[in-house]
Amino acid sequence: MATKKKTSSPGAASADKAAKGLNGKANSDRSSGTPEARDTARLLLEIEAIHCRPDNPYIFTSGRASPVYIDCRKIISFPEARAKIMAHALKSIDKAIGWNKIDVVAGGETAGIPFAAFLAALAKKPMIYVRKQPKGFGRMAQIEGELKPGKRVLLVEDLATDGGSKLVFIEALRKAEAKVSDCFVIFHYGIFPQSIEMLAATGVKLHALATWWDALEAAEKHKYFDAKGLSETRAFLEAPEQWSASHGGRPPTSRPTLGR
C-alpha cells in the first residue's frame, strides 16, 4: 500500500528520479486541471481513501485487476476533508450545470446517499434517494422522499467506473416523470469510454470532481506512491484491459458491462 508519505532513502533516490515525468504532460492533459480536482485528489490520498498495490493487484467485481483502489465512502468519516470536498463539489456543480437548473438532488443506493444529502443541505435543495430495485413490501417504493412530476433531478453517486449502475437509477427517476440530464460523482475512473457513452446515449451528461489522472498527479507531487506505484498505475490507466489481463484479471470481453 502506498498511501502514506515516506521519507526517501538514499537508495530510493534514483528510483524516485526515474519516476519523475511519469505524470507529466500526458497525465496533466487527461486530468481536469481544476484547483478543486487537484485538492480533492490530495485529500483522498491524505485520508487513505486511495490505495496502490501493484505487486498484489485488486480484483474488482467486474473481474478486472487493478494496481489501485479507491474507497470514497471513507470521506464521510473525516469531517474536515469531507467539508472541503463537498465545498468543491458544490462549486463544480454550479460551474458545470448551475444550481438554478436543479430542483432536487437524488442519491443512488447506497454510496450516493450521504453525498446527495450533504450537497442538498449546502445547496438548500430537496433530497431523495433511489433504490436499486423496489423494496418488496409496503408501497413497493423505489424512490424515497417526495418527487413531483417534471422536477429537474441531479443524480449523485460516489464514483463511476463504466457507468452501468447509473442507468438503473435514471430509469427509475424517469418512470417517476422526473427530468434527468446530469449525473455527478465525486470520483470518475476516466479510463473507460463507455462510462460517458452509455449515459450520453440516454441524454445524460456525467460530471466528476476528480479522476484517476488527478489522483496520479497528486500522488506523484505529494510523494504518496513510489516509483513502481507510479509506473504501474500509469500503465493501467493507459491500457486498463490489457494491464488487467496480464495481472490475473478477467480477459476483455465484448459483452457490455454493468459496473459502477
Side-chain angles (χ1 to χ4, degrees):
M1 187 183 300
T3 55
K4 291 185 179 180
K5 293 186 181 180
K6 297 180 180 179
T7 303
S8 297
S9 64
S14 59
D16 288 339
K17 185 176 180 180
K20 297 295 184 182
L22 281 176
N23 207 32
K25 187 174 185 301
N27 285 358
S28 61
D29 283 350
R30 301 178 193 188
S31 63
S32 70
T34 68
E36 293 81 15
R38 289 170 178 159
D39 195 47
T40 295
R42 178 189 64 79
L43 288 164
L44 290 170
L45 286 158
E46 186 177 281
I47 66 174
E48 297 186 24
I50 292 176
H51 305 274
C52 183
R53 200 174 70 188
D55 292 325
N56 183 20
Y58 298 93
I59 303 296
F60 298 145
T61 53
S62 64
R64 292 187 181 99
S66 169
V68 283
Y69 175 77
I70 181 164
D71 181 7
C72 287
R73 293 172 176 84
K74 289 195 72 173
I75 296 170
I76 66 177
S77 298
F78 294 85
E80 290 186 10
R82 182 183 72 210
K84 290 177 182 177
I85 290 172
M86 298 321 296
H88 291 330
L90 187 76
K91 182 177 180 180
S92 297
I93 291 168
D94 198 38
K95 281 183 180 179
I97 306 168
W99 280 106
N100 62 332
K101 297 179 181 177
I102 298 167
D103 298 318
V104 180
V105 180
E109 181 190 15
T110 57
I113 295 175
F115 300 112
F118 299 144
L119 282 170
L122 288 171
K124 295 180 172 58
K125 298 286 183 179
M127 182 249 175
I128 60 174
Y129 71 86
V130 192
R131 297 178 184 276
K132 294 171 184 174
Q133 57 187 17
K135 62 183 180 182
F137 57 90
R139 296 182 297 113
M140 300 296 287
Q142 189 167 359
I143 296 174
E144 299 291 356
E146 183 173 88
L147 177 62
K148 294 180 179 178
K151 291 296 183 180
R152 298 167 297 181
V153 176
L154 172 67
L155 175 62
V156 173
E157 280 253 76
D158 63 331
L159 63 83
T161 53
D162 60 27
S165 68
K166 314 297 179 283
L167 302 178
V168 174
F169 299 132
I170 292 166
E171 182 181 2
L173 289 165
R174 287 179 172 169
K175 279 184 178 178
E177 299 182 55
K179 296 178 180 178
V180 188
S181 58
D182 297 278
C183 175
F184 177 81
V185 295
I186 302 298
F187 197 89
H188 179 211
Y189 267 53
I191 55 176
F192 302 115
Q194 60 265 45
S195 62
I196 293 174
E197 293 167 359
M198 280 199 295
L199 292 178
T202 67
V204 175
K205 185 173 182 180
L206 180 64
H207 307 271
L209 192 50
T211 71
W212 270 120
W213 297 106
D214 296 304
L216 185 55
E217 185 178 271
E220 181 184 22
K221 180 178 179 180
H222 300 288
K223 303 185 186 305
Y224 279 97
F225 291 4
D226 59 19
K228 184 171 185 179
L230 289 170
S231 62
E232 290 296 323
T233 300
R234 183 169 186 264
F236 169 71
L237 299 184
E238 292 281 3
E241 304 295 5
Q242 290 87 336
W243 194 96
S244 173
S246 63
H247 289 79
R250 188 178 301 158
T253 174
S254 57
R255 181 169 52 84
T257 59
L258 284 176
R260 299 188 67 196

